[in-house]
Amino acid sequence: MGKPILEVEELTFKYDKRLEEETLSAVSFTVNKGEWLAIIGDNGSGKSTLAKLLVGLLEPQKGRICIAGTELTDDSKWEVRRHIGLVFQNPDNQFIGTTVQDDVAFGLENVNMSYEEMVPRVNEALRMVEMSAFCEHDPSRLSGGQKQRVAIAGILALKPSIIVLDESLVMLDPKSRRELLSTLNQLKHKESLTIISITHDMNEAAVSDRIMMMKSGRVLKSGPPAQIFIEEQQLEPPFVERLKRELENKGKEVPKAYTTEEEMVKWLCKSCLMV
């Protein structure tokens, strides 16, 4: 991992200043360059509010946010937004263009990028999310998974250092979700992209480098998936852990340590060969 690209210190926010209860209370954490942080928690824990604060859509009452060495303020927010992009849950809310390539180009037009520079940027972003073949398609006629890929391409074209996914995969079918998670993981490694995913899906959280649990506007715990899923038994485990527990209940010997999907596939293949 690289050095911190995101630093959050004592972040505090509430929607109604007349109320005593805070939506976020003294939230502090850092994220390293090239790290994937999954933020989990019940509804009302402050996850989506935190996402909006990170991209400057809301302004905190207290605390500071520093992105790529620049503190997020009212004066600096447009410059800081070049380093961070937010993908919402429903991609239809982000579509502007009449074709896929027009939609991906929209953000670049807003920063007055020249046509000569814009074309390769759009083509590269669509290639990254494997949507080049759909560049002339109407985005409204795409599948859910394809729409979300286009929404992500629109952010990637701006070449941010950080991409924030706010429940962005929740509407996708399992196959599309797995494919998009794999694509994002490849981008993380190839482009040193920093990913912050806000999610209720434990399979999505399981592919991250670190999970941060939130409750009632505070950070409850932070650690690698192996630690979180072992220590927090009340969480719905990802598919691999559920499979292990089912096999164990049937009297099968299974790996004792936390197991990733790749490790589980290797173990199952080895077990089959030994039968």
Side-chain angles (χ1 to χ4, degrees), residues 37 90 142 147 187 250:
L37 174 70
N90 188 347
L142 299 176
K147 287 178 179 179
L187 289 173
K250 294 181 182 297

Side-chain angles (χ1 to χ4, degrees), residues 74-86:
D74 195 50
D75 292 332
S76 69
K77 65 182 178 183
W78 295 109
E79 174 60 30
V80 169
R81 281 176 182 169
R82 290 176 173 267
H83 296 283
I84 187 166
L86 173 62

